Amino acid sequence: MSDTAQQNKASRGVSRRRFMAGTSSIIGAVSLAGRAIAAEAPLVTAAASIPSGAHVPVLVIGTGYGGSVAALRLAQAGIDVQMVEMGMAWDTPGSDGKIFANTTSPDYRSYWLRTRTKQPISNFLGFPIDKDVPRYTGILDAEEMGQIIVYQGRGVGGGSLVNGGMAVTPKRENFGAILPSVNADEMYGTYYPRARAGLGVATVDPTWFDSTDCYQYARVGRKQAQRSGFPFVFVPDVYDWGYMEQEAAGTVPKSALAGEILYGNNYGKKSLQKTYLAQAKATGKVTISPLHKVTSVSPAAGGGYTVLIDQINTTGDTTATKTVTADRVFFAAGSVGTSKLLVKLKATGALPGLNDQIGKGWGDNGNVMCGRANHLWDPTGALQSSIPCGGIDNWTAGGAFAEVAPLPTGIETYASFYLSITNNPNRAQFSWNAATGNVDLNWQTAWKQPGIDMAKSIFDKINAKEGTIYRTDLFGVYKIWGDHLTYHPLGGAVLNKATDNYGRLQGYSGLYVIDGSLIPGNTSVNPFVTITALAERNIEKIIATDL
Ligand code: FAE
């Protein structure tokens, strides 16, 4: 059935049975779409995993944006780098011939050590859509930290494996509020351009955007935003736009147009595996140990640091405990990973000299989600690219920047869906819980309210103008706001507070933070370009002065 025929046939009150049928037709299409393309040269060589007793010049904890920038630039400066990653390598196809699972059919590959999925959109038409899956070291961690679920990528490539690739540079006038101690001229003149080049950032061709079925949902988003007086802006991405055009033409296996996102993209997305990490590996000076989790870092007797590492299997059991020494250690475990490690190490006496800023300044980048129900004359399309390409900018007037996001179910839903980044001022703190032996985060659900109010500055107005209503069936029964989660954890080891102005941890020479935990809770847009650019700035200084 053609898309148009499908749209004509669909009704606004689409049934659960039709949703499921639509979903399985996506799955069918995907399984015909051909073999997954494995990385040309594997990033990880199994035999190369770090042996206990090893001594390395530099150990990097985590393989996301910060870690990948550090590894590449250190290696280019001639230094051997050992990267340690708790997630999998994600370079081997599963039994279906694909490396990554589809969004509409999560399986064992999808979630980090869970026996039931925890999908960000938990309901459809009010029905819960989570399902049981085998416990496995899957790609997406839905980490429950107090009253918020923090979604994070797990594996070689970190968040780049699961994210939407939206590669946004904040407006310069907002930069002073994002990183007040950093020279904006240097960032906008040198490090943002360097980061965008390293990541392969590009923008959709506006002519193609205007004609392709797969962005009908975004065109509806643009039309409605503009009718309410909000600017709609194209948002750059690291997805290969030329590849997406070929997907639409039917000449290559589909990824964005098969609804792939959240659990990995088999084609088209330039994750770190294809950019910074591939370049780092090509230097011959970078080794990556996947399924290795750092549990401790403490000063070593003869100088440098002792690093304790659990090697785990795919059900999460520890199969070996390794002790290595490193002259220098870069914490790049992500905002939550780095904060949890540092808070624990300070509290338990491994790194008692860390300062009292450790664990503070954590924010959710103001994330809130919502859907709107459109009229029958505003269908959003049965075919939706999973890669968002535009947003509604009401930051200055209302404190919100809303991605016009897809709802790639494979059927016409008449829904518009949005992930808003808001200027929510609330900040939380990580602390050590001696009773449970865990690190807690004191974020409260009610702290999302300022973000909801800011998002409403856009969507109340659009609903009033269009005569439409919010969807109430996506996050529960009669629940409008997705206020239980974040995709964008930031802070916990804030630059120029927990560290000096380049990420050197106060109190310990040779220990550095180089990931999203440096950023105090908000970037005004999607964060990974800023994380990458800041890492580029800091590592340049560290290489020039410390090594
Ligand atoms: P990250 O990429 O999280 O990497 C940290 C790595 O460290 C991970 O691979 C961990 O598995 C690993 N790790 C953690 N603890 C340990 C340990 N103890 N030992 C060894 N390894 C460890 O950190 N951002 C955008 O800008 N645009 C988007 O479109 C976008 N979409 C998103 C969609 C989703 C579903 C999600 C979850 C996130 C999205 N983000 C997006 C956020 C973005 O991916 C995130 O800000 C960055 O990945 C954070 O980069 P870091 O280098 O801080």
Side-chain angles (χ1 to χ4, degrees), residues 62 65-66 85-86 151 154-155 158-159 163-164 166 294 333 487 516 526-528:
Y65 293 92
E85 168 57 54
M86 68 193 271
Y151 284 92
R154 294 274 174 253
N163 67 31
M166 295 181 83
V294 171
Y487 285 176
N526 316 60
F528 75 62

Side-chain angles (χ1 to χ4, degrees), residues 61-67 84-87 140 151-160 162-168 237 262 272 292-295 332-335 337-338 341 403 486-490 514-517 526-529 531:
I61 308 171
T63 56
Y65 293 92
V84 177
E85 168 57 54
M86 68 193 271
L140 184 64
Y151 284 92
Q152 296 151 92
R154 294 274 174 253
V156 174
S160 77
V162 298
N163 67 31
M166 295 181 83
V168 198
D237 203 279
L262 276 187
L272 290 166
H292 281 60
K293 180 176 182 178
V294 171
T295 58
S335 161
T338 291
L341 269 174
E403 290 173 13
T486 184
Y487 285 176
H488 300 163
L490 293 166
I514 193 152
D515 59 17
S517 51
N526 316 60
F528 75 62
V529 174
I531 295 171

Side-chain angles (χ1 to χ4, degrees), residues 203-494:
T203 305
V204 66
D205 171 359
T207 310
W208 183 71
F209 171 84
D210 276 332
S211 64
T212 179
D213 285 350
C214 70
Y215 280 125
Q216 186 177 335
Y217 74 93
R219 292 195 298 274
V220 168
R222 176 178 65 182
K223 178 180 73 180
Q224 295 179 340
Q226 290 175 344
R227 277 207 292 235
S228 285
F230 297 115
F232 174 92
V233 289
F234 282 117
V235 169
D237 203 279
V238 298
Y239 203 88
D240 181 336
W241 295 105
Y243 189 87
M244 199 190 296
E245 290 187 28
Q246 290 178 277
E247 290 180 49
T251 54
V252 294
K254 291 185 171 56
S255 181
L257 269 54
E260 288 182 353
I261 184 132
L262 276 187
Y263 311 134
N265 282 80
N266 284 294
Y267 319 94
K269 191 168 80 180
K270 288 171 278 175
S271 66
L272 290 166
Q273 290 181 321
K274 295 182 181 162
T275 56
Y276 275 95
L277 285 172
Q279 268 198 63
K281 191 72 188 174
T283 64
K285 301 193 87 55
V286 176
T287 310
I288 306 176
S289 298
L291 291 174
H292 281 60
K293 180 176 182 178
V294 171
T295 58
S296 180
V297 177
S298 57
Y305 294 90
T306 302
V307 182
L308 302 185
I309 305 172
D310 283 347
Q311 183 170 7
I312 60 176
N313 61 20
T314 55
T315 47
D317 308 309
T318 300
T319 54
T321 300
K322 300 180 176 180
T323 306
V324 306
T325 50
D327 298 336
R328 294 167 200 281
V329 177
F330 286 77
F331 288 82
S335 161
V336 174
T338 291
S339 302
K340 285 199 315 190
L341 269 174
L342 292 175
V343 164
K344 178 179 99 170
L345 297 177
K346 177 172 165 62
T348 57
L351 295 173
L354 292 174
N355 74 18
D356 65 4
Q357 293 295 314
I358 294 294
K360 292 185 179 164
W362 186 86
D364 65 342
N365 209 26
N367 282 188
V368 284
M369 291 179 175
C370 68
R372 289 181 39 262
N374 289 307
H375 293 294
L376 284 178
W377 55 84
D378 265 338
T380 46
L383 174 68
Q384 302 198 354
S385 170
S386 62
I387 299 298
C389 69
I392 303 169
D393 184 6
N394 194 36
W395 188 263
T396 309
F401 174 84
E403 290 173 13
V404 178
L407 208 54
T409 57
I411 52 164
E412 177 58 62
T413 62
Y414 296 90
S416 286
F417 187 63
Y418 308 91
L419 168 62
S420 297
I421 295 160
T422 68
N423 201 3
N424 186 337
N426 285 317
R427 297 291 179 270
Q429 184 175 347
F430 294 92
S431 59
W432 176 244
N433 184 333
T436 61
N438 288 315
V439 174
D440 296 336
L441 180 67
N442 67 350
W443 182 270
Q444 297 171 28
T445 310
W447 292 3
K448 286 278 192 183
Q449 193 57 47
I452 292 174
D453 294 341
M454 290 168 185
K456 279 162 71 79
S457 76
I458 297 176
F459 303 114
D460 279 2
K461 193 168 175 192
I462 291 180
N463 276 339
K465 178 81 185 169
E466 303 293 327
T468 51
I469 55 170
Y470 287 102
R471 293 283 291 228
T472 57
D473 63 321
L474 302 175
F475 303 105
V477 181
Y478 297 114
K479 181 165 167 45
I480 293 176
W481 295 98
D483 59 356
H484 56 300
L485 56 75
T486 184
Y487 285 176
H488 300 163
L490 293 166
V494 169

